[in-house]
Amino acid sequence: MELETSNGMEKIVSLCKRRGFVYPGSEIYGGLAGIYDFGPRGVELLNNLKKAWWQANVYDKENHYGLDAGMFKNPRAWEASGHTSGFSDPMAECKKCNTRIRVDKALEAIGVTADEKMSEDEINALFDAHRAQIACAKCGAHDFSRAKKFNLLVKSNLGDFTSEGTEPVYLPGEACQGIYLDYKNIVDTMQPKIPFGVAQIGKAFRNEISPRNFLFRCREFEQADTQLFIKPHENKEAYEALKKDRWNWFLSIGIKEENLRLKQHENLVFYAKDAWDVEYKFPWGFDELEGIHDRSDYDLTQHMKFSGVDLNYTDPENGEKYIPWILETSMGMGRLFLAVIADAYHEDDLGGEVRVVLKLHPKLAPVKAMVSPLLRNKPELVARAREVYQALKKEIPQIAWDDNGNIGKRYRRQDEIGTPYCITIDFDTLGETAELLDTVTVRDRDSGEQTRMKIAELASFIKSKI
Ligand code: GAP
């Protein structure tokens, strides 16, 4: 049985907390809206996802370069990018209970589209026409303030040592700006031939008016971005290829095809000429997982204008000069994490008892195999099991030891973590049955089947699966 939409999110949030995947940020102080921490199991899954993404977007591609840019930037960069003026959401406040809503989202929910380029007056005209249909999610009232555009950039006082304050610096509103600011350095030092790509996983911060749906809409999150620099006007074919490439990557990490779809944007954000989302069927329905944007020459032209630095690319073969166009893929790592867990979540009915299992692709699983002695109070079993555990851990780091509770409880726990294999050391391992000496049972998470395997073959077996 897969996730039901009604209580699907509750089950995911509870599992993530219970099994050390995700904790609410600063929980002992009552939390902080829109901020989450990845726990010991979560950080392993997150790192496995990042590794799979990096492999596909840097190592498996020609002419693709990795980058890790600093988060803070000269404030002029955010003026050039359009974020200080154009990066805002329309917000209104319930006059009864002060709950804030995103007006564009509230309108969208009743089938009305507010274009991102609309002025505050235009949005208010639309809002006024539909106010009667929009109720406050908290108190049910229909009495909202005027909509006001609210800039999403998060300000900081880095380097500001005066009481009057100086120009604010910003945390990145989107991670990709780091790639544009380093474009010239990459061209000068790597001499890439067009088309070339730059990939980066970086943090982004947004003053989201209403963070919601767990990791889906946060105020601090990570984005995995690839910016493909192409010749002007050569965007159509490359854009189609990019959409296909990303679609296949989601399938390669085990996401079910029926839970994915591609959707074109009707309204374009200020930098985009064309935009498609890869959507995932989250417990509340299809929603954006990744944006694939045709940004044309917008970014480099803006940064050339504001910095005064020539950002033209010179073709090494014919000396032709031009500003490359940019095709972007941008995916929130938290949204991917949530999609992967939702997709893998499974419940089996074991005659009245529910078995929860995360059917994660073995290469993503935070624990590849758990090693345990059949009985924890038999020192000879424990000693041999620890030898097996330590030897395996040297070859495959994501191996766990678990001797808590009985073997059935350990299986249930590892099923919830998504551990593909559970290895048990029993009396046959020690030679009680002569022909089974130095063999163990290996239990398969998905089928529950147990097979006997030589200890010497364990590492290569697990490696072949991951
Ligand atoms: N550089 C392009 C860009 O930032 P975006 O559509 O605003 O475009 C790209 O964001 C991706 O980042 C989204 O598809 C989503 O996966 C993720 N994302 C955006 N806002 C987010 C938020 N508040 N919390 C978590 N992820 C977010």
Side-chain angles (χ1 to χ4, degrees):
M1 195 175 76
E2 283 160 32
L3 267 188
E4 285 166 34
T5 39
S6 57
N7 57 357
M9 275 308 281
E10 277 166 45
K11 288 181 176 179
I12 289 180
V13 174
S14 160
L15 174 80
C16 282
K17 176 82 194 288
R18 185 166 80 243
R19 295 297 173 211
F21 282 96
V22 182
Y23 308 128
S26 12
E27 195 181 12
I28 60 168
Y29 287 99
L32 185 64
I35 308 290
Y36 290 93
D37 299 339
F38 289 93
R41 304 240 170 70
V43 72
E44 295 299 330
L45 171 55
L46 189 66
N47 284 342
N48 293 343
L49 286 167
K50 287 181 186 176
K51 246 188 264 169
W53 184 87
W54 197 264
Q55 179 71 41
N57 289 282
V58 181
Y59 301 146
D60 291 349
K61 296 220 163 74
E62 271 185 50
N63 262 354
H64 275 57
Y65 306 88
L67 183 74
D68 187 359
M71 273 197 272
F72 285 112
K73 292 168 177 53
N74 185 305
R76 292 274 286 161
W78 297 109
E79 276 175 51
S81 70
H83 283 78
T84 48
S85 56
F87 190 49
S88 58
D89 285 336
M91 177 187 74
E93 203 166 275
C94 171
K95 287 187 183 166
K96 250 187 159 169
C97 71
N98 300 330
T99 296
R100 288 171 183 166
I101 61 159
R102 253 184 78 174
V103 174
D104 55 333
K105 292 284 169 197
L107 287 166
E108 196 181 290
I110 56 164
V112 179
T113 307
D115 192 319
E116 117 128 26
K117 294 181 191 85
M118 280 179 167
S119 69
E120 220 165 80
D121 285 343
E122 285 168 326
I123 286 172
N124 273 297
L126 205 60
F127 189 32
D128 287 343
H130 297 90
R131 269 171 192 269
Q133 291 163 264
I134 299 172
C136 171
K138 196 168 171 201
C139 72
H142 293 262
D143 195 9
F144 289 101
S145 68
R146 244 179 86 78
K148 205 171 161 347
K149 281 200 162 187
F150 184 78
N151 192 283
L152 301 183
L153 281 179
V154 177
K155 280 181 197 159
S156 163
N157 67 344
L158 181 83
D160 177 3
F161 304 111
T162 65
S163 54
E164 297 85 42
T166 51
E167 200 177 13
V169 287
Y170 301 96
L171 287 161
E174 56 172 4
C176 63
Q177 291 299 326
I179 298 180
Y180 310 142
L181 300 199
D182 270 326
Y183 149 84
K184 186 175 168 8
N185 280 329
I186 290 171
V187 169
D188 290 348
T189 55
M190 310 304 289
Q191 292 90 38
K193 290 222 173 80
I194 279 210
F196 69 92
V198 181
Q200 177 183 240
I201 300 176
K203 286 251 176 181
F205 299 81
R206 294 183 188 175
N207 244 331
E208 293 285 354
I209 294 160
S210 48
R212 66 183 169 92
N213 286 337
F214 194 38
L215 300 172
F216 184 82
R217 191 172 299 289
C218 300
R219 288 180 173 150
E220 174 183 348
F221 53 99
E222 263 182 315
Q223 292 180 314
D225 293 333
T226 300
Q227 309 292 318
L228 190 64
F229 295 83
I230 59 170
K231 268 187 140 176
H233 308 288
E234 294 194 352
N235 51 334
K236 290 282 176 269
E237 219 174 288
Y239 194 58
E240 288 313 307
L242 207 53
K243 283 194 279 182
K244 212 171 274 169
D245 180 63
R246 294 304 298 145
W247 182 267
N248 289 334
W249 183 76
F250 288 112
L251 299 184
S252 79
I253 59 163
I255 295 190
K256 298 183 196 90
E257 194 159 17
E258 67 264 28
N259 290 338
L260 290 170
R261 74 176 187 198
L262 274 163
K263 194 172 165 215
Q264 189 170 24
H265 277 223
E266 284 168 23
N267 288 304
L268 295 170
V269 283
F270 59 90
Y271 53 71
K273 281 260 180 302
D274 193 4
W276 286 71
D277 287 341
V278 179
E279 292 194 333
Y280 177 76
K281 196 176 174 194
F282 289 99
W284 61 90
F286 275 103
D287 217 332
E288 177 181 348
L289 170 59
E290 172 169 77
I292 304 176
H293 308 132
D294 182 344
R295 301 180 71 125
S296 71
D297 62 354
Y298 175 82
D299 304 281
L300 292 182
T301 304
Q302 284 294 101
H303 286 303
M304 182 153 113
K305 203 157 89 190
F306 277 69
S307 67
V309 174
D310 183 4
L311 297 180
N312 274 292
Y313 174 85
T314 308
D315 190 308
E317 253 124 61
N318 58 17
E320 191 190 346
K321 274 184 172 230
Y322 54 83
I323 292 289
W325 284 17
I326 292 174
L327 301 179
E328 163 185 72
T329 68
S330 182
M331 172 182 69
M333 287 307 306
R335 286 194 192 181
L336 177 69
F337 186 100
L338 183 56
V340 162
I341 292 211
D343 215 65
Y345 188 97
H346 200 87
E347 288 179 356
D348 285 337
D349 186 354
L350 305 179
E353 194 206 334
V354 175
R355 174 178 93 115
V356 174
V357 49
L358 276 191
K359 294 190 173 180
L360 294 169
H361 191 301
K363 76 177 167 193
L364 300 182
V367 176
K368 307 305 183 202
M370 178 274 276
V371 180
S372 74
L374 179 65
L375 301 168
R376 55 195 280 206
N377 57 358
K378 296 287 175 195
E380 64 276 33
L381 285 181
V382 174
R384 187 72 179 110
R386 287 207 62 84
E387 277 172 21
V388 172
Y389 164 69
Q390 273 153 1
L392 266 185
K393 211 168 154 56
K394 277 198 189 119
E395 298 209 39
I396 305 160
Q398 291 170 320
I399 299 284
W401 170 263
D402 191 349
D403 62 359
N404 276 326
N406 63 37
I407 198 80
K409 285 213 175 103
R410 291 177 215 160
Y411 286 163
R412 289 294 97 82
R413 186 161 44 238
Q414 295 302 324
D415 284 345
E416 288 198 357
I417 293 163
T419 306
Y421 305 105
C422 287
I423 297 164
T424 306
I425 283 73
D426 56 20
F427 292 106
D428 284 336
T429 315
L430 306 182
E432 196 172 272
T433 309
E435 63 271 26
L436 294 181
L437 176 71
D438 287 338
T439 65
V440 291
T441 58
V442 179
R443 174 185 173 270
D444 182 277
R445 174 195 67 199
D446 298 339
S447 67
E449 263 173 40
Q450 302 198 15
T451 45
R452 204 82 206 170
M453 196 176 290
K454 287 190 181 135
I455 289 171
E457 289 169 2
L458 284 174
S460 57
F461 168 75
I462 297 166
K463 280 183 190 165
S464 75
K465 302 291 181 183
I466 61 175

